[in-house]
Amino acid sequence: MLAYVKADLDSVIEMYLGRPSHCVLVLDIPTPFLDETLPPLHEVSMVISALNSICKHLLLYVNPFIGTHSDILTKIPILVPLYKRGLVIDYKSTPRVKASIHTQGLHNTLTIEVANPNNLGTTIVFSIPRTCDAPPILTPSALYVYYLTDSSSRALLRQGFTATHLNIATILRYTTPHLAIVSLSKCISGDGPIFGYPEYIDTAFFVGKPHLIDIALALCLGYTLHDIYFVKLINDAHNLNKLFQLANHFVKSITTCRKVKRHSLYHYHRRLLITKADLHT
């Protein structure tokens, strides 16, 4: 299921989730030092307000890609009262699972621990669309993996493009978000997620299952199914084709994100990712 929302966000979330007793919101903040990477503040307020009206208990997972919690609280003051109430959590206070991560050679592995808010309740990711070289598109599922991996281990996710996708797919098997809420008022063009530049559109939300949103946003931006390789790896072919058909049908009426420009080196990187063997799996 997907929804394109310009108002009444709380009713759409409730339609998807019902009224879960516990909810974990993973807030997408790569770095508090770059305003272009922060989600729109009024939309952060709107999402938190909508979830508070539905969920009995709300926890926020805020772990910046660069920076500290203090830096985030300065940039997003709405989090201060939640932080004082103990509702803001990070990877140090979250139940964890173990996953084997591939290194550059793809032959050696090492085991790291990955934070798993799924053990706390329904997991929702709030994100803004980004384009990037590895993986080709960073939307809720991929971002979720980056933030829930220890900062000391994040570099392992960037040990080559193929390894990045394999690692994301590996971790998503352990920690899968239930719902994604994507802001469509602000997107990052170019070399994202940190070095891109913002494109401002109108306030709207894209709400639905994370993998379906990843596919739909990729289609909006002109990518193909192979371009979101980590999604391909964590789904069997039958289910993936169904997701693609649904997203393709839905995205025909959504043109909001099509002005977002992809990374200029994208086509070169795609050649590194797709092989004949991949096309037959």
Side-chain angles (χ1 to χ4, degrees):
M1 294 179 65
L2 288 170
Y4 181 64
V5 184
K6 292 188 176 180
D8 300 324
L9 179 63
D10 52 347
S11 63
V12 174
I13 295 175
E14 186 170 357
M15 176 184 70
Y16 275 92
L17 299 181
R19 289 187 174 271
S21 58
H22 294 81
C23 176
V24 179
L25 174 63
V26 179
L27 189 58
D28 167 19
I29 303 180
T31 168
F33 305 126
L34 298 175
D35 289 339
E36 59 267 28
T37 70
L38 294 174
L41 300 187
H42 71 284
E43 293 192 355
V44 174
S45 301
M46 194 182 305
V47 170
I48 292 176
S49 175
L51 291 174
N52 262 329
S53 68
I54 297 171
C55 307
K56 294 180 180 179
H57 302 285
L58 176 63
L59 298 175
L60 273 77
Y61 183 97
V62 184
N63 188 22
F65 198 67
I66 301 172
T68 66
H69 277 82
S70 298
D71 300 318
I72 292 175
L73 296 177
T74 301
K75 286 287 187 177
I76 307 183
I78 187 178
L79 297 180
V80 173
L82 296 175
Y83 190 77
K84 289 181 178 178
R85 289 168 55 194
L87 294 184
V88 179
I89 60 175
D90 59 24
Y91 70 90
K92 295 178 181 177
S93 59
T94 307
R96 311 173 67 75
V97 296
K98 291 186 176 181
S100 294
I101 302 300
H102 293 262
T103 57
Q104 177 67 48
L106 300 181
H107 299 298
N108 301 318
T109 61
L110 65 133
T111 300
I112 64 170
E113 290 186 319
V114 182
N116 187 9
N118 285 345
N119 291 342
L120 295 175
T122 302
T123 304
I124 299 175
V125 179
F126 176 49
S127 175
I128 60 175
R130 294 181 171 86
T131 56
C132 185
D133 53 352
I137 182 171
L138 277 176
T139 47
S141 295
L143 286 165
Y144 181 78
V145 171
Y146 273 92
Y147 301 141
L148 298 195
T149 306
D150 287 348
S151 57
S152 60
S153 303
R154 282 183 185 140
L156 295 174
L157 291 176
R158 301 187 65 85
Q159 295 291 320
F161 302 111
T162 303
T164 298
H165 284 267
L166 289 173
N167 292 338
I168 288 176
T170 299
I171 297 175
L172 280 176
R173 288 193 179 100
Y174 293 93
T175 56
T176 304
H178 301 94
L179 185 70
I181 304 172
V182 179
S183 166
L184 294 183
S185 67
K186 178 182 178 184
C187 304
I188 303 297
S189 281
D191 188 5
I194 294 178
F195 300 108
Y197 52 93
E199 299 272 8
Y200 295 97
I201 315 174
D202 294 323
T203 295
F205 297 98
F206 201 12
V207 184
K209 298 299 182 182
H211 300 144
L212 194 55
I213 284 189
D214 282 331
I215 294 173
L217 283 176
L219 296 176
C220 279
L221 297 174
Y223 293 106
T224 69
L225 189 60
H226 280 294
D227 301 333
I228 40 175
Y229 194 63
F230 65 91
V231 175
K232 181 174 183 288
L233 289 174
I234 61 175
N235 288 276
D236 61 67
H238 178 69
N239 288 336
L240 192 60
N241 288 333
K242 277 189 173 181
L243 289 177
F244 178 71
Q245 291 172 5
L246 287 171
N248 193 40
H249 174 75
F250 182 84
V251 88
K252 289 178 181 178
S253 61
I254 301 298
T255 59
T256 304
C257 288
R258 293 183 181 175
K259 65 182 292 187
V260 179
K261 299 174 180 62
R262 300 182 309 202
H263 190 282
S264 59
L265 297 179
Y266 160 73
H267 291 292
Y268 170 74
H269 292 149
R270 184 185 176 196
R271 288 199 298 273
L272 298 178
L273 285 169
I274 301 302
T275 66
K276 291 182 179 179
D278 296 329
L279 296 177
H280 295 290
T281 56

